[in-house]
Amino acid sequence: MRMTDNTVLITGGTSGIGRALAEAFHDRGNRVIVTGRRQDMLDEITLGRPGITGLYLDLNDAVSLARAASSVRARFPRLNVLIANAGISRNEDMTTEDWDTAEAEAMVQTNIVGVLRAVAAFLPILKQQSLSTIMATSSALAFLPRADFPTYCATKSFLHSWLTSLRHQLSKTSVDVLELSPPYVQTELTGAAQAVDSRAMPLAAYISAVMAMLEQGDHPRGELLLERDQARRWAERDGTYDRIFATLNPA
Ligand SMILES: NC(=O)c1ccc[n+]([C@@H]2O[C@H](COP(=O)([O-])OP(=O)(O)OC[C@H]3O[C@@H](n4cnc5c(N)ncnc54)[C@H](OP(=O)(O)O)[C@@H]3O)[C@@H](O)[C@H]2O)c1
């Protein structure tokens, strides 16, 4: 994808990977719109970075999405990059007596329905441009699950499959489709402890790796995956699935 002079909208742009991508794209001379529900974070980002626009968006609220899409159509008719990045993650223990589907339904709603809704809302604008990109954030866990995050991993597997079909359907249009599959990264996705977990990749290092892959066009089949996660991606093909699953999920 072109790395400058884009108009980029990022869902889940108020923190973590989305915010860091927003800043990286802004640094490279792009117009950037960050969206999310936390108005205080939108204010903090736009105050610190004149040139980034903040827009309230709750993906679970159809009215909020319709408002945001109509505002973007009026204010940013050249929107050509959508980064559908918003997501939530919860662990679930299905062996407990009180396990129910509330957390699972919330993840399906945000991680799956939220991405579909964002793409549906902005695709008509993207299609009008000569060169557009949809990049959605899946996960390295899409290819091989952590069993303590069953629904979370399954939502990301859904995205992997769905994005493959979307890419195929849009292949004769001006819209490219990319899948960003992060490893475990230092953000507050699962709570404050993750942001300082030494087993997680530092956020700045991950974002520089992503920007380098984008700059070099290093994303075979539209997939942005770090070298170290290729083993999970190809575990079924390589006959290593059971072994890697067992390492990731000790008995
Ligand atoms: N960090 C990792 O280890 C990791 C690994 C693989 C994949 N990922 C994926 O990366 C993406 C970003 O996560 P992160 O790690 O950067 O965590 P994060 O800091 O918690 O970011 C999540 C973002 O999603 C937004 N969001 C959540 N629910 C929303 C809703 N209903 N409507 C609109 N926005 C919503 C949040 O904004 P508001 O709260 O302001 O709405 C926030 O900006 C997620 O899709 C996650 O699954 C992360």
Side-chain angles (χ1 to χ4, degrees), residues 121-142:
F122 296 109
L123 186 55
I125 314 179
L126 299 175
K127 274 194 199 146
Q128 286 168 6
Q129 320 302 334
S130 55
L131 203 60
S132 290
T133 302
I134 293 172
M135 180 162 83
T137 309
S138 124
S139 168
L141 293 172

Side-chain angles (χ1 to χ4, degrees), residues 11-18 35-38 57-60 85-89 110-111 137-140 152 156 181-189 194:
T11 73
T14 46
S15 58
I17 292 170
T35 71
R37 297 163 302 175
R38 284 170 292 171
L57 172 58
D58 180 353
L59 288 163
N60 294 336
N85 164 77
I88 57 172
S89 178
T110 302
N111 300 2
T137 309
S138 124
S139 168
Y152 175 75
K156 299 303 188 177
S181 301
Y184 184 43
V185 177
Q186 287 178 342
T187 69
E188 296 195 357
L189 180 66
Q194 181 174 335

Side-chain angles (χ1 to χ4, degrees), residues 19-85:
R19 179 173 178 169
L21 283 175
E23 293 174 350
F25 275 102
H26 185 239
D27 286 341
R28 283 163 178 77
N30 296 282
R31 288 165 293 281
V32 176
I33 307 146
V34 291
T35 71
R37 297 163 302 175
R38 284 170 292 171
Q39 191 60 50
D40 55 332
M41 296 310 295
L42 292 173
D43 293 342
E44 182 187 298
I45 294 166
T46 51
L47 271 176
R49 289 247 182 183
I52 294 190
T53 302
L55 192 63
Y56 177 86
L57 172 58
D58 180 353
L59 288 163
N60 294 336
D61 174 358
V63 175
S64 158
L65 188 58
R67 257 195 216 123
S70 131
S71 163
V72 168
R73 263 194 304 276
R75 295 168 64 196
F76 302 98
R78 290 181 56 207
L79 177 79
N80 72 320
V81 178
L82 168 67
I83 303 183
N85 164 77

Side-chain angles (χ1 to χ4, degrees), residues 135-200:
M135 180 162 83
T137 309
S138 124
S139 168
L141 293 172
F143 310 112
L144 214 151
R146 255 188 67 169
D148 47 352
F149 287 83
T151 306
Y152 175 75
C153 297
T155 63
K156 299 303 188 177
S157 300
F158 176 103
L159 285 187
H160 172 68
S161 170
W162 187 77
L163 290 166
T164 305
S165 299
L166 181 69
R167 183 177 303 117
H168 184 74
Q169 288 201 13
L170 295 181
S171 60
K172 292 198 172 57
T173 73
S174 60
V175 188
D176 274 345
V177 177
L178 301 178
E179 176 182 4
L180 180 66
S181 301
Y184 184 43
V185 177
Q186 287 178 342
T187 69
E188 296 195 357
L189 180 66
T190 58
Q194 181 174 335
V196 290
D197 188 342
S198 58
R199 291 167 302 177

